[in-house]
Amino acid sequence: MSAEKLDKSKTLFLRKKHVGPSCKIFFSQDPIKIVKAKGQYMYDENGQRYLDCINNVAHVGHCHPDVVQAGAEQMGTLNTNARFLHDNLVLYAQRLQATLPPALSVCYFVNSGSEANDLALRLARNFTGHDDIITLENAYHGHVSSLIDISPYKHHQLPDAELRPSVHVAPSPDVYRGRYRADHPDPAAAYADDVRELIDRAHEKGRKIAAFIAESLQSCGGQVVPPAGYFQQVAAHVRRAGGVVIADEVQVGFGRVGSHFWAFQLQGADFVPDIVTMGKPIGNGHPMSCVVTTAEVAQAFASSGMEYFNTFGGNPVSCAIGLAVLDVIGKEDLQGNAVRVGQHLSDLLEALKRKHPLIGDVRGRGLFIGVELVKDRLTLTPATAEAQEVIYKLKEEKILLSADGPHRNVLKFKPPMCFTPEDAELVAAKLDPVLTGTGPLLGLKFSTVESVAPPCRRSKPFANISIRLEMSSFVFEVALVEKPQTIETNQTFTLFD
């Protein structure tokens, strides 16, 4: 079974010696050495199988035979600079465009999500003649310099980091933890108004907006689902200011949300971005990506006088692989699978939420789901340490999951699209006891008992009664101060074991 060339300890030693220390590894306290993968499973050097809930890169499944065959056959025939004429490039562009609204008709092929988003900024700035970019809190759009500037997800790791004057950060449209929540009468309009106010303040300083960029569903920002109508209203404000709208589909595109092929389509048919970027799932692990835009934006870019070319972007092998991925999505009904299995997984997680106070929220679409862990459902205190404990305990159960978001307290489900109902049930079955053993409040377990006293009515006020409970390093205090009130007792209490 083992395909390793080196002992695991030697592999780790050489990685630490020769690979930059900023290049982090999953489960750094106890890393896994993966030597093989197939479908939704990964295997270590000892043949141990892990269920992969992390890899949205292996979109149609690890090492899918159709994708592997398409790449190998084309590699054995021709791979060359995309500046030569080749059928694969135009056939793939045609197939890809058919999944998008008609206005998005021109493709630029590149090699990574970062490269796609960098090019999208160039297109926007060239088309508008403006410089400033509006991004969202906790956003991440890539690792090149232009994108680190617009990725607050990275900025908060640097205590002295300062935004460039050309970058404006709008609140994340998070209706669970954000400024405007689910009980707000119109959170979409409220969050969109924040963008409008950002634009007004920028204009007061003499600045001009080139683009608003956002993931259609925020991933690193905590699996955030914007309220319906948000992007339409933001687009109206941005376009009125002379800017364009960029939808980043690098993590959420290609049918992952199930009901639609692109996550931006969740907002409705009346929302069409000016530029869409895509990566990761586009090549099922093969390094390719794409920027799709309107004919007007593309023509303006061509008229700038600067030629654009990319040696490897859109090469025959990449496009053969891209075509195979689209074929598999259709042939295996993976978009429909995302609807069915995603709903099943969400239902199972909601059931766990009703049982475990540690789960504050379950949200997402299709096979893009977040579970936010909190110490207290009223204060929403992030359960950061508990989230890390959960993912490590699940690793012991041979399930690979990650935690992200600004507080690192959101469990992220974004598995290969071949995930099955049985996989969802296994995850829920393993997660249940893990949550039981990882309760909030420094690991204290919760149990529910019913009061056995008969209903009573107390009309006299309490007189400064104080209760103090100490458990190891944790102190729990309740003070009932004197205040005239009527108290009913005939209810269920949640107590500590």
Side-chain angles (χ1 to χ4, degrees), residues 385-453:
E386 290 84 348
Q388 297 306 308
E389 185 177 355
V390 166
I391 64 173
Y392 269 90
K393 284 185 175 180
L394 284 175
K395 171 179 168 283
E396 294 173 5
E397 298 293 337
K398 309 302 182 284
I399 293 173
L400 303 182
L401 192 64
S402 62
D404 216 330
H407 305 288
R408 297 293 195 275
N409 68 318
V410 181
L411 306 180
K412 295 175 64 174
F413 291 87
K414 46 188 182 65
M417 295 276 280
C418 52
F419 215 63
T420 68
E422 293 75 21
D423 295 329
E425 290 158 11
L426 176 63
V427 169
K430 296 294 186 181
L431 185 56
D432 186 9
V434 166
L435 291 171
T436 299
T438 317
L441 303 174
L442 302 181
L444 294 176
K445 297 180 182 179
F446 277 74
S447 64
T448 302
V449 298
E450 290 191 9
S451 60
V452 293

Side-chain angles (χ1 to χ4, degrees), residues 75-87:
M75 194 176 294
T77 304
L78 171 70
N79 196 24
T80 188
N81 193 307
R83 299 179 81 178
F84 289 103
L85 193 62
H86 194 274
D87 288 346

Side-chain angles (χ1 to χ4, degrees), residues 169-432:
V169 180
S172 171
D174 181 352
V175 296
Y176 177 70
R177 178 178 291 280
R179 182 183 303 176
Y180 314 110
R181 301 183 178 178
D183 59 355
H184 189 280
D186 192 351
Y191 280 117
D193 283 345
D194 284 337
V195 175
R196 176 181 53 77
E197 290 170 9
L198 269 183
I199 294 171
D200 291 343
R201 290 196 296 271
H203 287 174
E204 289 170 3
K205 297 177 182 178
R207 308 204 64 88
K208 296 181 178 180
I209 304 300
F212 168 87
I213 183 170
E215 290 181 283
S216 302
L217 302 175
Q218 271 193 292
S219 180
C220 293
Q223 309 292 89
V224 175
V225 180
Y230 170 70
F231 281 113
Q232 287 93 327
Q233 295 178 70
V234 167
H237 298 321
V238 171
R239 288 166 178 158
R240 197 176 299 119
V244 298
V245 175
I246 303 169
D248 181 341
E249 293 270 340
V250 169
Q251 296 209 46
V252 294
F254 291 89
R256 176 161 292 279
V257 299
S259 58
H260 299 79
F261 201 82
W262 302 104
F264 72 79
Q265 293 171 322
L266 291 168
Q267 291 279 310
D270 58 334
F271 172 63
V272 179
D274 302 289
I275 302 172
V276 176
T277 60
M278 52 195 76
K280 293 190 193 307
I282 191 172
N284 209 55
H286 180 80
M288 67 181 299
S289 59
C290 186
V291 181
V292 185
T293 189
T294 64
E296 294 78 11
V297 171
Q299 186 55 51
F301 194 50
S303 301
S304 68
M306 182 182 292
E307 178 188 6
Y308 179 82
F309 72 94
N310 190 302
T311 302
F312 298 109
N315 68 74
V317 171
S318 294
C319 290
I321 288 172
L323 283 163
V325 169
L326 291 179
D327 287 341
V328 172
I329 292 172
K331 181 174 70 174
E332 299 183 4
D333 187 26
L334 294 183
Q335 191 175 333
N337 190 64
V339 172
R340 295 183 295 273
V341 179
Q343 187 60 58
H344 187 45
L345 178 57
S346 292
D347 291 344
L348 293 169
L349 294 170
E350 287 285 358
L352 291 179
K353 176 185 172 183
R354 291 190 290 273
K355 182 177 180 181
H356 298 284
L358 191 61
I359 295 180
D361 192 36
V362 176
R363 55 181 177 262
R365 296 290 187 274
L367 285 172
F368 182 85
I369 300 171
V371 177
E372 181 152 358
L373 304 187
V374 295
K375 293 177 182 289
D376 186 303
R377 289 182 179 175
L378 292 177
T379 63
L380 305 188
T381 305
T384 301
E386 290 84 348
Q388 297 306 308
E389 185 177 355
V390 166
I391 64 173
Y392 269 90
K393 284 185 175 180
L394 284 175
K395 171 179 168 283
E396 294 173 5
E397 298 293 337
K398 309 302 182 284
I399 293 173
L400 303 182
L401 192 64
S402 62
D404 216 330
H407 305 288
R408 297 293 195 275
N409 68 318
V410 181
L411 306 180
K412 295 175 64 174
F413 291 87
K414 46 188 182 65
M417 295 276 280
C418 52
F419 215 63
T420 68
E422 293 75 21
D423 295 329
E425 290 158 11
L426 176 63
V427 169
K430 296 294 186 181
L431 185 56
D432 186 9

